[in-house]
């Protein structure tokens, strides 16, 4: 009997299946990179256009709803662009960060300021100093300074009702806020106002200060890129720098409103990122404190992990020396008057006992009289923790914790106070702290729209919850990474 053989298809060898797969296009990775770059660039173009459109929408008194909507769109586009740039190569991302920073800063020059009139005091202080007079000597409304007035800062035509214009008790129309009190700004800030006035063409009005703000904002972007490449992760440096470079708060507050805080931010970034704990870091931080007092909160972070009395003394002595040297020429001209309006400002802003308008989160749990004391105790404990347990290789981490916590507890209604937080977020990568800036922005623009609503508590409460959630998620991720690393270690037999 003939045996019939059953035919079976030949079994492929292990390598056959690999050979049968279509070859992967050599340019597929390049195509994906181009797509990511194109998407990020498109988002940046939309963000730039929205900044211009929002600035043309009106001022904070006549059209707060439209401004608030524009701010919401800019923050959404910023978040999307900051997310997509994470997948772009470091070289392409660096170009996007620099180009986006420049484009957004230029967009913020589109109009005069419409949400803050602090810039007008800057211009006046620069003019007064150019005339050889101390800005701490007399208020803008003083008759002794009448010869320095012009129709821009002291309009004489039309009704005294334009945005940013106030009328004094004597009937003087003035664009400067608090025209009957001396200036509040420290001496390095006053030096900046004088320098900008000196290089400005006649009758250039607000534009030189805005251009100066743009230069400072872009300079901070460059400083962040340099610091993050040298002392952080070079691959992630551009994505982190973008958190400052493209942040809407930088466009609106640092450039359009030209807030002097930006100079203090740049000096702080240079202090933490380019100097070790010593005299040079102390001198830079002292200069930052002499711009705006808020950078004093960075000191515990700058001393993170430092227990040598010699190093601590050297840094603190340099801070004090820098502040003293900056004040010296103004003290010679004005004496104790260099404090300016600072005591009155603290009372006006609601920090004094019996009339507390700050510490919203604490006041929801404690009596008003105890809120301020509780805030001081909590901040002292946070500063001690940052100093003793902070990472000396990343001093900005402790600085962010203390500065962000301070703003959460104090709950100011001015978003430009948190420009320092934005830069520290860029250094450290903890994006959740940006919600502190959002809280101040919402409170500043929407406060008049929702009378009777505890917006201060809600806004900063939401920011505090976001920060806590981010800390929990990061803690869990860190534990998983540590367990994964331990699992890959060789086991000794």
């Amino acid at each position: 009997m003939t045996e019939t053989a059953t035919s079976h298809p030949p079994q492929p060898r292990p390598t056959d299946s690999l050979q049968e797969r279509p070859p992967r296009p050599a340019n597929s990775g390049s195509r994906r990179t181009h797509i990511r770059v194109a998407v990020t660039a498109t988002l940046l173009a939309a963000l730039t256009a929205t900044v211009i459109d929002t600035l043309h929408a009106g001022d904070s008194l006549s059209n707060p709803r439209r401004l608030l909507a524009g701010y919401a769109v800019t923050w959404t586009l910023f978040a999307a662009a900051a997310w997509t740039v994470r997948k772009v190569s470091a070289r392409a991302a660096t170009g996007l960060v620099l180009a986006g920073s420049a484009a957004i800063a230029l967009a913020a020059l589109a109009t005069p300021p419409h949400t803050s009139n602090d810039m007008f005091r800057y211009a006046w202080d620069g003019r007064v100093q150019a005339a050889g007079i101390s800005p701490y000597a007399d208020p803008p409304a003083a008759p002794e300074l009448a010869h320095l007035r012009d129709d821009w800062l002291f309009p004489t035509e039309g009704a005294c009702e334009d945005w940013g214009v106030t009328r004094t008790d004597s009937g003087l129309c003035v664009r400067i806020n608090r025209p009957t009190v001396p200036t509040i700004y420290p001496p390095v800030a006053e030096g900046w106002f004088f320098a900008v006035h000196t290089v400005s063409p006649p009758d250039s009005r607000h534009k030189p200060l805005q251009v100066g703000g743009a230069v400072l904002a872009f300079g901070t972007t460059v400083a962040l890129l340099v610091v993050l490449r040298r002392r952080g992760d070079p691959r992630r440096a551009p994505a982190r720098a973008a958190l400052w470079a493209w942040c809407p708060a930088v466009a609106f507050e640092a450039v359009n409103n030209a807030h002097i805080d930006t100079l203090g931010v740049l000096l702080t970034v240079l202090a933490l990122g380019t100097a070790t704990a010593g005299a040079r870091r102390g001198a830079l931080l002292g200069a930052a404190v002499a711009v705006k007092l808020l950078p004093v909160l960075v000191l515990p972070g700058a001393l993170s992990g430092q227990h040598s009395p010699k190093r601590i003394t050297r840094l603190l002595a340099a801070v004090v020396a820098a502040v003293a040297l900056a004040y010296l020429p103004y003290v010679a001209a004005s004496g104790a008057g260099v404090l300016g309006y600072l005591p009155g400002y603290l009372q006006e802003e609601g920090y004094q006992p019996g009339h507390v308008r700050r510490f919203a989160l604490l006041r929801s749990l404690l009596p008003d009289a105890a809120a301020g004391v509780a805030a001081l105790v909590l901040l002292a404990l946070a500063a001690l923790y940052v100093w003793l347990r902070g990472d000396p290789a990343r001093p900005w981490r402790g600085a962010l914790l203390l500065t962000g916590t301070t703003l959460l507890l104090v709950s100011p209604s001015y978003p430009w106070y948190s420009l320092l937080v934005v830069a520290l977020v860029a250094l450290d990568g903890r994006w959740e702290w940006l919600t502190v800036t959002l809280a101040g922005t919402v409170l500043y623009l929407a406060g008049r729209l929702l009378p009777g609503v505890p917006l201060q508590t809600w806004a900063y409460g939401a920011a505090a919850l976001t920060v806590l959630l981010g800390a929990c998620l990061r803690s869990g991720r860190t534990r998983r990474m540590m367990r994964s690393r331990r699992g890959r270690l060789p086991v000794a037999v």
Side-chain angles (χ1 to χ4, degrees):
M1 184 173 65
T2 306
E3 183 176 354
T4 305
T6 305
S7 61
H8 295 282
Q11 296 296 322
R13 289 175 299 182
T15 56
D16 289 344
S17 60
L18 297 177
Q19 293 173 352
E20 292 172 1
R21 292 179 182 174
R24 184 177 180 181
N27 62 345
S28 61
S30 177
R31 186 182 299 114
R32 284 198 299 270
T33 299
H34 291 161
I35 291 174
R36 291 167 182 165
V37 170
V39 170
T40 306
T42 301
L43 289 169
L44 288 176
L47 174 57
T48 303
T50 307
V51 167
I52 296 174
D53 180 68
T54 302
L55 290 174
H56 281 99
D59 58 63
S60 56
L61 295 179
S62 65
N63 207 355
R65 287 184 176 84
R66 176 65 180 83
L67 278 179
L68 195 60
Y71 275 54
V73 175
T74 58
W75 275 90
T76 302
L77 291 170
F78 160 62
W83 177 263
T84 58
V85 80
R86 295 163 63 249
K87 300 295 183 179
V88 176
S89 65
R91 182 176 181 180
T94 300
L96 286 169
V97 168
L98 292 173
S101 179
I104 293 169
L106 289 174
L109 300 175
T111 68
H114 289 315
T115 58
S116 170
N117 57 3
D118 287 354
M119 179 199 296
F120 304 122
R121 170 72 79 159
Y122 303 170
W124 174 255
D125 284 359
R127 182 183 303 177
V128 168
Q129 292 178 88
I133 303 171
S134 169
Y136 304 103
D138 297 294
E144 294 82 357
L145 303 180
H147 64 287
L148 298 177
R149 297 171 188 166
D150 64 359
D151 291 339
W152 173 49
L153 294 178
F154 296 83
T156 56
E157 297 181 0
C160 191
E161 297 175 356
D162 291 340
W163 179 87
V165 179
T166 58
R167 186 188 296 275
T168 65
D169 292 339
S170 62
L172 181 68
C173 285
V174 56
R175 207 176 294 274
I176 304 167
N177 60 27
R178 304 180 182 90
T180 59
V181 298
T183 191
I184 190 177
Y185 298 103
V188 172
E190 293 295 339
W192 174 260
F193 305 153
F194 173 68
V196 172
H197 177 87
T198 301
V199 301
S200 300
D203 300 324
S204 50
R205 299 194 172 190
H206 62 277
K207 197 58 68 179
L209 284 164
Q210 288 184 324
V211 172
V215 170
L216 292 174
F218 187 79
T220 303
T221 298
V222 174
L224 287 168
L225 284 169
V226 172
V227 169
L228 290 168
R229 283 181 173 179
R230 290 181 178 178
R231 303 192 60 183
D233 184 349
R235 184 175 59 85
R236 298 181 181 178
R240 288 190 178 179
L243 296 176
W244 164 271
W246 305 341
C247 182
V250 175
F252 294 127
E253 306 303 341
V255 182
N256 186 258
N257 287 326
H259 282 292
I260 191 59
D261 304 64
T262 318
L263 177 57
V265 170
L266 175 58
L267 292 169
T268 301
V269 170
L270 294 175
L272 297 181
T274 66
T276 56
R280 188 172 68 169
R281 176 178 287 179
L284 287 169
L285 284 178
V289 172
V291 173
K292 205 82 176 275
L293 298 181
L294 193 63
V296 75
L297 298 170
V298 174
L299 284 175
L303 291 168
S304 293
Q306 298 294 334
H307 305 296
S308 166
K310 184 177 180 180
R311 283 195 170 188
I312 295 173
T313 302
R314 188 184 305 158
L315 186 144
L316 294 179
V319 170
V320 173
V323 174
L325 287 174
Y327 266 108
L328 189 59
Y330 294 99
V331 171
S334 302
V338 294
L339 289 178
Y341 186 58
L342 180 60
Y345 177 80
L346 294 176
Q347 181 178 2
E348 177 185 309
E349 288 298 310
Y351 292 97
Q352 77 277 21
H355 188 58
V356 180
R357 296 201 309 275
R358 297 293 168 228
F359 319 115
L361 299 183
L362 291 175
R363 286 193 293 115
S364 64
L365 304 172
L366 301 170
D368 286 2
V373 176
L376 288 176
V377 171
L378 290 173
L379 292 178
L381 292 174
L384 186 63
Y385 172 82
V386 166
W387 172 45
L388 295 177
R389 302 296 300 275
D391 184 355
R394 298 178 180 84
W396 45 79
R397 180 162 295 176
L400 174 59
L401 175 62
L402 184 58
T403 306
T405 301
T406 300
L407 294 181
L408 283 175
L409 294 179
V410 174
S411 54
S413 58
Y414 303 129
W416 54 90
Y417 281 12
S418 61
L419 285 172
L420 179 57
V421 169
V422 177
L424 295 173
V425 165
L427 285 170
D428 200 41
R430 281 166 164 73
W431 57 265
E432 60 269 19
W433 285 98
L434 290 175
T435 55
V436 175
T437 304
L438 270 173
T441 301
V442 171
L443 188 59
Y444 187 70
L445 293 178
R448 298 182 182 88
L449 300 176
L450 300 170
V453 175
L455 192 59
Q456 190 180 37
T457 304
W458 289 5
Y460 279 99
L465 290 175
T466 304
V467 169
L468 291 174
L469 178 61
C472 292
L473 292 176
R474 291 179 190 279
S475 177
R477 186 186 308 165
T478 302
R479 286 196 296 267
R480 287 195 298 271
M481 290 175 62
M482 293 179 64
R483 285 197 298 267
S484 176
R485 290 174 181 174
R486 284 197 296 267
R488 290 196 297 267
L489 290 175
V491 180
V493 179

